Amino acid sequence: MKCLVCVLQQMLEETRTFVPTVSELSMYLYCFITLSLLPSGFTMLRAFSHTKGRCVLHHAKRWQHRKSVLAIRREDVNAWERRAPLAPKHVKELTKMGYKVLVQPSNRRAIHEKEYIKAGAIIQEDISEASLIIGVKRPPEDKLIPKKNYAFFSHTIKAQEANMPLLDEILKQEIRLFDYEKMVDHKGMRVVAFGKWAGVAGMINILHGLGLRFLALGHHTPFMHIGMAHNYRNSSQAVQAVRDAGYEISLGLMPKSVGPLTFVFTGTGNVSKGAQEMFSALPCEFVEPHELKEVSRSGDLRKVYGTVLSRHHHLVRKRDGQYDPADYDKHPENYISRFHIDVAPYTTCLINGIYWEQNSPRLLSRQDTQKLLVPVKSATGATDGCPELPHRLLAICDISADTGGSIEFMTECTTIDNPFCMYDADQHITHDSVEGSGILMCSIDNLPAQLPIEATEYFGDMLFPYIEEMLVSEGSEPLEKQNYSPVVRDAVIASNGSLTPKYQYIQKLRESREQAQLLKMSGEKRVLLLGSGYVSGPVLEYLTRDSNIGITVVSVMKEQLEQLTEKYRNVTPVHMDVLKHEEKLSSLVKNHDLVISLLPYSAHPFVAKKCIDHKVNLVTASYLTPAMKELQESVEAAGITVVSEMGLDPGLDHMLAMECIDKAKEVGATVISYTSFCGGLPAPEHSDNPLRYKFSWSPQGVLLNTVQSATYLKDGEIINIPAGGALLDSVTPMDFFPGLNLEGFPNRDSTKYAEPYGIQTARTLLRGTLRYKGYSRTMGGFVKLGLINPDPYPLLSSTTPPLTWKELMCKLVGIKSPAEHHVLKEAVFSKLDKDKSQLEAVEWLGLLGDEPVPAADSIVGALAKHMEMKLPFGTGERDMIVMRSEIGLRHPSGHLEDKFIDLVVYGDNKGYSAMAKTVGYPAAIAAKMVLDGEITAKGMVMPLTKNVYGPILERVRAEGIMYSTRSIIKQ
């Protein structure tokens, strides 16, 4: 029988009269009604999936959706992720229907690319033409393509903190997100999931883990011959290994002193069924939960026992001890679990496959587990060689991997690399081992990835019927115009830049979680740390020594945030750009007692204004700039303390100077000269580049310092050095540490410190920067070439075609691009006044090559990004801080004294850099002093008074920051 479209086409094309039969007319009528009722052409896939319906689908698709392209993206978040959302057989069906399918290349994917090619897919990196991009796990934020349809497991529906930056980016890029987890039928049951294979892999893993745990407890068991799930080519091989172990069990080869083994499966869904399917390869007997007590004591050692636990087996209402399923669905908070009383004491291994919902009772708490860790008396008696078990409950396989969920103390998932840990309920600690006290835990959150081919085919079978309706729509189109089926429509988390109505609760969950975190800190002193760069480590390390200090760290650097959160306790991360989220920053400042800003100095006035608004104290390590000084009256009116210049330079240099100056004044001496030079440098053995420099703080700040103006006092004469690079002509050798071969140049306006230091009598007043000899000459070459230019340079914008360094240099030296290398080199050499060392530095940095110039607002900004990549500290390399202050004194007797203060600090190979220590610890100590009421002055505070610098200098010495002083008396 022909389809309706074919009939119409034949009637138009043929001159003869075409008369359909009665049966054909009936079929055509059915097709017409079906097409008019079903959403667009996509559900024809389900309605006409058999042979007779293919022609209708073909024509509808050809008319309406011939341009739709599907892309299967590469999985790149986890090294073990070898699955795909569709198998080649599904791709073949799609290509038969005329759709173009792109597959990103991946050597990690378990199904080889050639299988997808055979199915009609195109292997290519660029997937931007696709209207629907599908994967298994989340893509990195920086690889999202705006205004596309995406489908993957987003793990955002509970406002999971780790994935909120991803959701923010999806909203920002106006992406339509379909989440497999929310594709459910009319009963709320998931229709697209890997559940069965999570259960299968989880069961294999925990049998392997039990073999290791039993061995650690002194027992060889047949489980020792079962490996991890990924060690098998497929599940059939794993089943055979489990059967082999089961055969040994049936022969009575389990140690008698361990007693009968009992396995409890929670849940009745696909996860639990998959685990039970693998368990059934053992000689097993399933019993009711109330029978566990008996079989755990006197069961047959030639078999293992299993039970499937449903809600009615362990949940009871608090007031009457009954279970009412309808009432539980409405009021789960009115129920408690008796699992720890009625079931857990007789359980060897718990296989948990249930997800926990807010307000519902947990299956096991820490307190419950403590009561379960009691010795088991063996019926056969125990000896040294045949020990008893330390307790009945030996292992938990939490296949749900729901952190902080039904298993309260499962707060962090294990991994395929490190699948097991031990939970000690008495100490409430976990340790990565199968030995020691506690319960063996396995809670891998990507179990199906261990059996990737079968999992892909299984998942693809479930997803395939819904692919077409997601595929035929454009992500940029309004959601309300899409005629999705309920299954697909209800899985749309975000679209057109907003959360869909069903998922707007996610934002409320985020806000309530943040509020809860702040409330948790309400009994603590609350610190808001802005920035997560080099210096933040020592700040956090110092402040978190006090358990009564809770810290919120805000940063745009997600990876750094994650590392800091893992390393330091009592730290709450917030991933955001402070300067772009003014309202959110204001809310955060309001809920803290003190703010520490490690942001660039230009951001401090912005932060300070928020602190003034909410009367919150502030500490920074940066200079007290004119913009900050303008806030003096507002700070005083708000009654808050703003501590500035609390780092190294400025910071420790002030404190060391004032300690010496105050002591001199105590004996009636006057200061006649003050000179101080400081520099952050690579240790000598790591200064192996043309600049003799590597970056441990802001590269752009380092570069701009070389073109700043400077003012200082020399023998009573004020010396002014104009901006633009003249500073580099004022370099002088520094011979106080001859082996270091240092040079120095003036830094900013030194004369302004005469009054705050109280040394108006000084005839020489100079503060400067230290570098290795050769640095200034090299930087002078960059100045000549116009590379240290902070002015806006639109050609380097991210919205313009990228330039290469070769092209940029052609523009800077005034020759036409493209130019031959030798022509450009000669032009640059001329611009450098024939200075060979400067040319060598330019070539060493690759500035005459084809490497792209980083996008930036200015040329110096681009050079800073380039240098940060070219001149970082490598693994095992360390930096160094060198500071030398010389203070000339005249005593009442008339004799002269020169005071020398030396500070030399090296970074730790595996710890903090010298720069991080010498900036971070003073800032953290000052913050703690403000919190503890040791610094009480209101207004702008600098470390120039003894009550401030005295305690800080004492405490930095305790952190290993040592300095020395010596004197030379002149007659």
Side-chain angles (χ1 to χ4, degrees), residues 448-600:
Q450 293 183 272
L451 297 166
I453 295 177
E454 291 161 293
T456 294
E457 292 176 344
Y458 174 86
F459 185 82
D461 287 344
M462 303 177 81
L463 176 62
F464 184 71
Y466 304 98
I467 282 291
E468 194 174 10
E469 61 178 293
M470 293 189 281
L471 176 58
V472 297
S473 66
E474 291 293 334
S476 58
E477 297 171 351
L479 179 61
E480 57 271 16
K481 291 187 178 181
Q482 308 307 312
N483 198 14
Y484 294 136
S485 65
V487 170
V488 172
R489 183 189 64 240
D490 291 347
V492 180
I493 305 291
S495 183
N496 309 108
S498 302
L499 292 170
T500 57
K502 186 175 180 180
Y503 297 100
Q504 286 175 357
Y505 72 86
I506 293 175
Q507 183 59 33
K508 294 178 181 177
L509 272 181
R510 295 178 71 174
E511 291 170 357
S512 62
R513 182 185 65 235
E514 290 171 4
Q515 190 61 36
Q517 289 170 337
L518 293 173
L519 287 173
K520 180 183 176 183
M521 294 164 57
S522 61
E524 305 169 327
K525 294 171 181 176
R526 298 163 298 175
V527 174
L528 179 64
L529 177 62
L530 304 179
S532 62
Y534 299 111
V535 176
S536 59
V539 173
L540 288 171
E541 190 278 325
Y542 188 86
L543 292 177
T544 54
R545 295 174 193 175
D546 187 338
S547 59
N548 289 320
I549 295 178
I551 304 175
T552 303
V553 184
V554 182
S555 175
V556 294
M557 307 299 289
K558 184 182 176 184
E559 288 187 9
Q560 289 181 354
L561 269 179
E562 291 173 350
Q563 291 168 3
L564 293 173
T565 306
E566 289 176 7
K567 188 171 183 179
Y568 303 104
R569 61 184 179 85
N570 228 11
V571 171
T572 301
V574 175
H575 180 246
M576 76 171 195
D577 186 333
V578 167
L579 300 180
K580 293 181 180 178
H581 295 83
E582 184 173 352
E583 189 175 327
K584 183 71 178 291
L585 173 64
S586 184
S587 176
L588 286 168
V589 170
K590 179 181 178 181
N591 289 293
H592 289 79
D593 301 306
L594 179 135
V595 176
I596 303 173
S597 179
L598 301 179
L599 301 173

Side-chain angles (χ1 to χ4, degrees), residues 648 652 656 659 737 881-884 901-906 914 917-918 921-922 952-965:
L648 167 66
L652 287 175
L656 292 173
E659 182 181 50
F737 292 127
I881 295 298
V882 179
M883 183 189 292
R884 158 62 73 93
I901 308 169
D902 293 326
L903 171 68
V904 179
V905 179
Y906 283 91
K917 288 190 287 188
T918 53
Y921 281 125
I952 294 176
L953 288 177
E954 180 182 347
R955 293 168 197 178
V956 296
R957 285 195 294 268
E959 303 303 327
I961 299 174
M962 309 301 291
Y963 58 91
S964 61
T965 62

Side-chain angles (χ1 to χ4, degrees), residues 603-618:
H604 294 329
F606 174 73
V607 173
K609 289 173 184 177
K610 301 303 174 189
C611 292
I612 291 167
D613 290 343
H614 300 293
K615 295 181 169 55
V616 175
N617 298 320
L618 172 66

Side-chain angles (χ1 to χ4, degrees), residues 743-809:
E743 63 183 27
F745 51 86
N747 185 13
R748 307 194 187 205
D749 184 1
S750 301
T751 62
K752 67 179 183 180
Y753 289 96
E755 184 176 342
Y757 281 13
I759 54 173
Q760 294 89 335
T761 54
R763 291 178 53 77
T764 295
L765 182 52
L766 171 60
R767 287 163 47 85
T769 299
L770 288 175
R771 293 288 183 262
Y772 287 121
K773 187 176 180 181
Y775 171 88
S776 299
R777 184 174 180 177
T778 301
M779 291 301 297
F782 297 152
V783 173
K784 292 176 188 175
L785 292 171
L787 289 168
I788 316 296
N789 186 347
D791 296 336
Y793 198 78
L795 289 178
L796 297 181
S797 167
S798 58
T799 60
T800 60
L803 288 176
T804 64
W805 280 108
K806 182 178 180 179
E807 291 169 333
L808 178 60
M809 292 301 292

